[in-house]
Amino acid sequence: MGQMMTGQGVFALVVIVNCHIFVSSHNSAERLYNDLLLNYTKGVRPGTDYNHSLNVELFLTVSTLLEINAVDKIMSVNGFFNMLWRDERLQWNKTEYDGHSSILIDPSLLWTPRILLINPARRFQVFGTYSSEVRVQFDGYVFWVAGDMIETNCNINIRNYPFDIQTCDISITPFGYTENEVNLSVSFSTQFTEFPLGNGEWDHVQTTTTDWSLSVYNVSNFTLQYKRKHHFVLTNIIEPVLILNVISLAVFRIPPNCGERISFAITVFLSYIVFLTIITDNIPKTSSPMSLLSLYLIAKVSVSACITVSTVFIVQVSHKSPRTPIPERILYLLAKSNKMQNAEPKWADNDGNKLDNTRTRTKSGRAELITGEDEGRGSSLSTHCSHIGSKQPTWEEVAIYFDRVLFFFFLSVMLLFTVLLFTFICTNLRTGDI
Ligand SMILES: *[C@@H]1O[C@H](CO)[C@@H](O)[C@H](O)[C@H]1NC(C)=O
Ligand SMILES: *[C@@H]1O[C@H](CO)[C@@H](O)[C@H](O)[C@H]1NC(C)=O
Ligand SMILES: *[C@@H]1O[C@H](CO)[C@@H](O)[C@H](O)[C@H]1NC(C)=O
Ligand SMILES: *[C@@H]1O[C@H](CO)[C@@H](O)[C@H](O)[C@H]1NC(C)=O
Ligand SMILES: *[C@@H]1O[C@H](CO)[C@@H](O)[C@H](O)[C@H]1NC(C)=O
């Protein structure tokens, strides 16, 4: 019983003491608040010695990257400026106010630096609309956080798309104060806090800060660097285009007299166009400068158009009437290609022995061609070609010949473009951009 009483007594005492402390601390906080603001003139900047500028230490916390817009050349981020300065008028003796070492005051009641964004994308912006209470410490140090959406004008270059790195500046100045009055110093290293979701398109690389002056004004630059995540473009644009390349060359492997060739070539051409239309949505729509990838795709569409036209031409050739004579030039080319296909280069300037040996191994027609070439360099082409075989080559053979030539021509064009593209990709890989 006695023990219980004691217990209750202690409990009551604790409650009373707690309440007393609470009431007293509440009173002292209110007293401190009123005392601090009693003779405070908000419009006058801090500093007892106006011959020295007020130093405002500032650092930027970027929470999210919203967008990098290549067309309008805008970078938008959500961020806040953390500012620290000293206001001598806001000092107090801790022991006189029950040990209170800091207090929060509404920013509209105190002097705060007005930070102006000088390279805005749309209109000038002074930070402070979304701001915290001002935290004042007993020795006069004041800490304030002001955040907003920051949209800056940014020179975006998508030439290396999708391996591009964009660098954008956020330039700020204390609005209206010259550098002799307020000095912004970005002594803290800028923090970059990317909230867990991050950005789907960009990776943050680094942030640097620089101080410089614009006439009499003190300006600080925060330079943000972002690297594009390129895997999406690689798998959804570059890979399908490479596959389409192979398909578009396959048209030259369909027999030339088959009319289906034209529909095949046109289908491939159309799928290029459909594909281009779809992927244009994924490529930044700007032309200063164009991205190399867009140029590559446009080159591919042109090549596909040329393939379609060549196919029509070959089908037309293979359907020519057999009575139409084959021009001599074509016959000459045919003979030359036959020779190159069947003969080894050294046969051209060989002695009789070697020729005889090979002749026994080769088909008679081919050997005859070589003999013809050997003895009759000056002879007319028509006799030369009629010498090849007893029968004239048909238009179909001409078409097959063109088919082969064009196949290798377009193959090398495609390979050239693709090698250029991959050289570009690999250069970017090696320079560590990826
Ligand atoms: C405020 O100013 C008045 C008159 O100038 C002065 O009497 C008073 O002590 C000042 N109060 C504080 C807290 O400085
Ligand atoms: C500020 O500078 C002026 C001229 O240089 C000088 O006369 C004045 O005493 C200085 N004021 C203080 C508070 O040092
Ligand atoms: C703060 O106030 C206490 C009590 O009034 C006093 O003893 C002490 O010297 C003061 N401290 C300062 C730094 O003025
Ligand atoms: C700071 O940023 C602005 C705007 O982008 C730019 O014009 C200026 O050259 C930059 N200054 C420095 C020192 O980087
Ligand atoms: C501004 O602050 C920086 C760093 O604190 C300092 O180096 C510079 O001299 C200051 N400028 C003026 C005008 O006080």
Side-chain angles (χ1 to χ4, degrees), residues 359-389:
R359 189 181 286 163
T360 51
R361 276 195 275 116
T362 48
K363 277 183 274 175
S364 64
R366 210 187 294 166
E368 269 174 316
L369 167 70
I370 295 151
T371 327
E373 180 71 22
D374 254 20
E375 59 198 15
R377 261 182 210 278
S379 67
S380 89
L381 287 170
S382 55
T383 51
H384 174 83
C385 286
S386 58
H387 194 59
I388 291 173

Side-chain angles (χ1 to χ4, degrees), residues 48-52:
T48 48
D49 177 8
Y50 265 40
N51 287 355
H52 287 104

Side-chain angles (χ1 to χ4, degrees), residues 55-59 84 183-188 211 218 220:
N55 202 40
V56 176
E57 288 187 30
L58 182 142
F59 69 100
L84 180 73
N183 185 13
L184 280 188
S185 64
V186 281
S187 55
F188 295 50
D211 284 336
N218 189 256
S220 296

Side-chain angles (χ1 to χ4, degrees), residues 284-304:
K285 295 166 204 64
T286 177
S287 38
S288 55
M290 289 266 278
S291 71
L292 292 174
L293 184 66
S294 308
L295 295 178
Y296 175 78
L297 288 171
I298 286 157
K300 281 283 131 108
V301 171
S302 318
V303 169
S304 178

Side-chain angles (χ1 to χ4, degrees), residues 383-398:
T383 51
H384 174 83
C385 286
S386 58
H387 194 59
I388 291 173
S390 47
K391 64 177 174 72
Q392 281 271 90
T394 60
W395 277 110
E396 213 171 308
E397 280 164 15
V398 173

Side-chain angles (χ1 to χ4, degrees), residues 7 40 64 132 156 207 220 232 255 267 301 307 335:
Y40 190 87
T64 39
S132 68
I156 292 166
T207 307
S220 296
F232 175 82
T267 309
V301 171
I307 288 178

